Amino acid sequence: MNRDADSDVKILAVDDLDENLLALTALLQDDGLMILTARSGVEALELLLLHDVALALVDVQMPELDGFELAELMRGSERTRHVPIIFVTAGAREPARVFQGYDAGAVDFLFKPIEPRILRHKVQTFVELYRQRRLLSDQLSALQRSEAEARRLRDELADMLRLNETFLAIVGHDLRNPLNSVLMSTALLEHVSQDPL
């Protein structure tokens, strides 16, 4: 399901084991989703520089850069600060470890073996939230463009009104001068016609 289409919502799966990435990809395969896979935290960061993702599924135990460290780096970057992270681990269900994950920025913590329906429902929830956020962002951009267009039209109308007022003032002045001449001539003729010869 690795289609490269702009309409696809991207999910990042990070695990150092190929079989785990293959399983996650198979579980999440769905129309409109593109699963990006990374075998390390560094590779995940590189993908996050190139793609906007709706969700990151991150293995906790990885060499070099573990899931918690990756999450902290993601939270430190403006670009990835708001990407939801679900930690996936085969480790023991230790409350301290789970809280460490939440402290690192996780929104959820799943233990292997993963129940497929639970995973799909959680992912679908974040995908829907991402789509709604993207729709709201598009609507806000459209509204801002409309407001800018309305301001431009208002300024253009104000300029036209000023030009119209100037034109009317000039025409009014030019019309008054000939009318004054006609009125004076009429008054003079009237005065002359009333004089006895």
Side-chain angles (χ1 to χ4, degrees), residues 70-77 80-85 104-107:
L70 172 59
E72 288 176 18
L73 290 172
M74 288 173 66
R75 293 297 171 249
S77 169
T80 57
R81 176 169 306 175
H82 301 291
V83 173
I85 300 169
V107 295

Side-chain angles (χ1 to χ4, degrees), residues 160-178:
M160 289 175 68
L161 286 172
R162 278 191 294 276
L163 182 62
N164 190 23
E165 288 172 0
T166 303
F167 177 74
L168 286 175
I170 291 170
V171 167
H173 178 267
D174 289 348
L175 285 176
R176 270 191 303 257
N177 283 342

Side-chain angles (χ1 to χ4, degrees), residues 1 11 13 23-31 33 35 55 57 116 119-121 123-124:
M1 186 72 217
I11 305 293
L24 281 173
T25 301
L27 284 173
L28 299 175
Q29 199 166 24
D30 191 13
D31 286 341
L33 284 183
I35 312 302
L55 175 67
L57 298 165
L119 176 65
R120 280 194 291 271
H121 283 293
V123 168
Q124 214 36 52

Side-chain angles (χ1 to χ4, degrees), residues 3-24:
R3 294 185 310 159
D4 191 17
D6 289 337
S7 62
D8 287 344
V9 174
K10 298 170 185 163
I11 305 293
L12 176 63
V14 186
D15 199 305
D16 58 320
L17 300 175
D18 285 332
E19 57 270 17
N20 289 342
L21 290 173
L22 185 63
L24 281 173

Side-chain angles (χ1 to χ4, degrees), residues 60-131:
V60 172
Q61 298 170 334
M62 294 185 293
E64 297 176 29
L65 189 66
D66 71 20
F68 296 145
E69 294 166 328
L70 172 59
E72 288 176 18
L73 290 172
M74 288 173 66
R75 293 297 171 249
S77 169
E78 186 61 37
R79 178 171 170 76
T80 57
R81 176 169 306 175
H82 301 291
V83 173
I85 300 169
I86 294 179
F87 282 123
V88 180
T89 186
R93 295 179 186 250
E94 300 169 11
R97 193 114 164 110
V98 172
F99 288 125
Q100 182 183 2
Y102 288 125
D103 288 343
V107 295
D108 207 347
F109 216 100
L110 296 176
F111 293 91
K112 296 175 187 175
I114 297 172
E115 169 57 42
R117 288 188 321 181
I118 290 174
L119 176 65
R120 280 194 291 271
H121 283 293
K122 287 179 185 284
V123 168
Q124 214 36 52
T125 298
F126 286 105
V127 166
E128 187 57 35
L129 287 171
Y130 176 81
R131 285 182 174 140

